[in-house]
Amino acid sequence: MSGKRVLVTGATGYIGGRLAPRLLEAGYRVRVLARSPDKLRDVPWADDVEIVRGDLDDAESLRAACRDIDVVYYLVHSMGGRDEFVDAEKRAAQNVADAARDHGVSRIVYLGGLHPESGDLSPHLYSRAQVGRILTDSGVPTLVLQAGVVIGSGSASFEMIRHLSNRLPVMTTPRWVNNRIQPIAVRDVLHYLLAAADAPLPRSGTYDIGGPDVLRYGEMMQQYSEVAGLTKRRILVLPVLTPKLAGLWIGLVTPIPPPLGRALLESLSTDAVMRNHDVDSIIPPPESGLTGYRDAVRLALGRIERGEVETTWTNASPVGAPADPLPSDPDWAGEVVFTDERSLESDSSQEKVFAVVESIGGENGWYSFPLAWTIRGWLDRFVGGVGLHRGRRDPKTLHTGDALDFWRVERIERPTLLRLRAEMRAPGGAWLEWRVEPLESGRSRVHQRAIFFPRGVAGRLYWYALVPFHGIIFRGMLENIAGTAGR
């Protein structure tokens, strides 16, 4: 039981959301920094950590978060950001370095990306290397771990491999398909991160981590197909297929949005192999050994089949998506707002109706006019949005902050309230909300409300253009929710 106090940045993300509970199990006292603390309000470990509101761009909030902290985990990276993200990440890293130094933090642990020593790097790999340099030059002892493709249920890299292999028996790829990759299981990444808090560190240093297998990306897809029971995939290499074009193609056939797909592909444009095994001198491998690629795939698929996906790449909101919560209701602070409100009584209990509400979206559908939802999802993809492909992490249960197709769970209070915030591209902010109240004799009433804050003339035109469809979409949705609960 260490008793050290650690700060985890990126706790709402894929790695941070898995590391925080493991730090607790190891006896650390954990503080987490989140721009939107509500995203963590109903994770299983929320009551055992100190949650503080803050942002890496806000130096004051960082200084407050670093007070009385022994170890800072830097687990933030803008994989889907626009071109200016390099400068933004440089500022964020400098803010963390300054705050940690000013408050006497004894160690920074940063998870970066594997990359060759020489040659041109993609903007994302360059940015991650730059962040590592800033932190190691901060004067605070810093341990940088550099990992390549992370294989685990819900990771963006694994989901790209999974969906490409599942959906395309024949696929075209850029030249990078023949580059050498050293993938690592997410369980092994967490092993190194957890040990990094107390590992002997005579001076700041950068250490490569990876699994036992070195493969070409094409081999990774073929081996995935074998483990998943698929027929052998045919891979056609097209030298003229650029990362941008390939990113658009990834966006069409997988849940990964084009900007994120492009960033992942650019990171694969060079070999990503460990240069040495120096990490063994400070952190020994897991007692059972590092996880091979096939075993990592098998473990990830098993968790997906059992519905035990702990965190996913969708935990992070896409760049440009609305992040502000629904303004106070019923006073809309003088803003123009459009609403569609409907209510319906059900012979089913409050708990049964809410269970249907909570299972909405993903493979379960939206209970009305499926073609309209499909078209809206494809239109969103066409303009660079997330579309409907993200689905949902669990078929029955939602948590605050979960991605749900092109929505995000803003608030859930079982068995009374579910509120979703739209992350599709639209000229305004949109929310969809259900409230379920109990009635006498085991019956219930469902209140459904769609809310839209238009942005300019385009927002008003957008709402009015959809008004003729509201009767079909929203009335049908409410009736089918009540009907499904009754059945």
Side-chain angles (χ1 to χ4, degrees):
M1 301 292 285
S2 167
K4 283 186 177 180
R5 196 169 188 85
V6 302
L7 171 67
V8 178
T9 66
T12 58
Y14 179 71
I15 294 293
R18 298 190 181 209
L19 179 63
R22 287 161 176 80
L23 287 167
L24 288 169
E25 291 173 7
Y28 295 97
R29 293 176 293 163
V30 180
R31 178 183 295 165
V32 298
L33 181 75
R35 285 181 296 178
S36 303
D38 276 352
K39 279 190 175 184
L40 299 171
R41 66 190 298 266
D42 60 352
V43 297
W45 39 270
D47 292 338
D48 299 318
V49 302
E50 179 188 357
I51 302 174
V52 297
R53 184 186 299 274
D55 194 307
L56 300 193
D57 286 333
D58 184 350
E60 288 300 322
S61 68
L62 269 177
R63 278 194 281 271
C66 286
R67 189 171 293 116
D68 302 322
I69 289 294
D70 298 302
V71 181
V72 172
Y73 279 92
Y74 192 118
L75 303 174
V76 178
H77 181 57
S78 303
M79 282 298 290
R82 296 184 176 88
D83 292 339
E84 64 270 17
F85 78 92
V86 174
D87 291 334
E89 293 208 326
K90 180 179 179 180
R91 290 193 301 271
Q94 193 61 60
N95 287 341
V96 170
D98 292 344
R101 184 178 57 251
D102 292 347
H103 283 284
V105 170
S106 59
R107 179 170 300 186
I108 298 173
V109 179
Y110 171 59
L111 181 62
L114 272 180
H115 60 273
E117 289 188 39
S118 58
D120 292 335
L121 298 180
S122 72
H124 285 274
L125 281 178
Y126 172 81
S127 177
R128 299 182 85 169
Q130 176 180 248
V131 169
R133 288 192 296 270
I134 292 171
L135 297 177
T136 54
D137 292 342
S138 65
V140 178
T142 298
L143 199 166
V144 176
L145 298 172
Q146 297 186 146
V149 172
V150 176
I151 303 299
S153 57
S155 79
S157 298
F158 178 71
E159 289 302 297
M160 189 167 76
I161 293 170
R162 183 167 77 97
H163 283 86
L164 282 175
S165 302
N166 285 355
R167 296 178 178 180
L168 300 175
V170 179
M171 64 187 84
T172 58
T173 64
R175 289 188 300 268
W176 52 254
V177 76
N178 290 320
N179 288 340
R180 297 165 65 243
I181 309 292
Q182 192 164 0
I184 184 170
V186 66
R187 56 166 51 190
D188 293 337
V189 174
L190 293 169
H191 162 79
Y192 284 112
L193 285 171
L194 188 60
D198 281 311
L201 188 66
R203 61 182 181 278
S204 294
T206 299
Y207 299 87
D208 294 347
I209 59 174
D213 302 313
V214 176
L215 304 166
R216 300 191 187 279
Y217 198 81
E219 291 176 321
M220 291 171 62
M221 290 191 283
Q222 294 290 13
Q223 291 192 20
Y224 168 88
S225 300
E226 292 172 11
V227 174
L230 306 173
T231 58
K232 185 175 181 179
R233 271 32 193 163
R234 294 189 62 190
I235 299 174
L236 306 177
V237 179
L238 297 182
V240 297
L241 192 59
T242 66
K244 183 175 182 179
L245 289 175
L248 293 173
W249 175 241
I250 294 291
L252 287 174
V253 297
T254 80
I256 309 297
L260 176 55
R262 179 180 177 182
L264 290 172
L265 296 179
E266 287 178 342
S267 297
L268 298 171
S269 61
T270 58
D271 289 346
V273 178
M274 293 176 65
R275 291 167 290 187
N276 55 60
H277 290 269
D278 291 352
V279 68
D280 293 345
S281 65
I282 61 169
I283 303 176
E287 290 185 8
S288 57
L290 292 166
T291 309
Y293 176 71
R294 287 176 180 269
D295 288 336
V297 169
R298 194 173 290 111
L299 288 167
L301 290 176
R303 284 192 170 276
I304 292 170
E305 291 169 2
R306 296 191 301 272
E308 297 175 354
V309 181
E310 193 175 348
T311 59
T312 79
W313 65 271
T314 61
N315 285 37
S317 297
V319 173
D324 294 333
L326 179 66
S328 299
D329 176 38
D331 179 10
W332 303 103
E335 296 188 56
V336 174
V337 61
F338 297 120
T339 61
D340 183 287
E341 300 187 49
R342 302 168 190 269
S343 296
L344 185 67
E345 291 191 8
S346 169
D347 292 330
S348 301
S349 67
Q350 179 187 34
E351 289 75 17
K352 286 185 178 180
V353 172
F354 193 82
V356 175
V357 170
E358 190 174 357
S359 67
I360 200 166
E363 294 184 0
N364 302 322
W366 290 86
Y367 299 115
S368 71
F369 205 173
L371 179 61
W373 289 94
T374 300
I375 292 173
R376 184 64 181 87
W378 279 109
L379 288 174
D380 192 52
R381 277 296 219 189
F382 182 74
V383 296
V386 295
L388 290 175
H389 288 318
R390 291 191 303 184
R392 49 183 293 154
R393 183 168 60 92
D394 184 282
K396 295 181 179 179
T397 305
L398 293 173
H399 297 283
T400 302
D402 274 1
L404 178 59
D405 292 329
F406 47 47
W407 303 87
R408 188 167 297 274
V409 179
E410 182 171 288
R411 195 168 189 84
I412 182 168
E413 298 175 2
R414 300 179 186 86
T416 58
L417 170 69
L418 174 63
R419 181 184 301 146
L420 308 178
R421 184 182 70 244
E423 290 188 335
M424 80 277 280
R425 297 293 178 90
W431 287 262
L432 189 56
E433 178 185 271
W434 294 269
R435 293 182 182 270
V436 186
E437 62 173 310
L439 300 176
E440 295 179 353
S441 304
R443 303 175 74 249
S444 61
R445 180 181 290 113
V446 194
H447 301 275
Q448 177 180 282
R449 183 169 64 157
I451 306 155
F452 185 68
F453 286 81
R455 188 168 57 246
V457 174
R460 290 166 172 78
L461 293 176
Y462 175 83
W463 175 264
Y464 290 129
L466 294 178
V467 165
F469 301 98
H470 287 177
I472 301 173
I473 296 173
F474 293 131
R475 183 178 65 244
M477 180 185 294
L478 187 59
E479 292 174 350
N480 289 327
I481 286 173
T484 301
R487 290 191 295 274

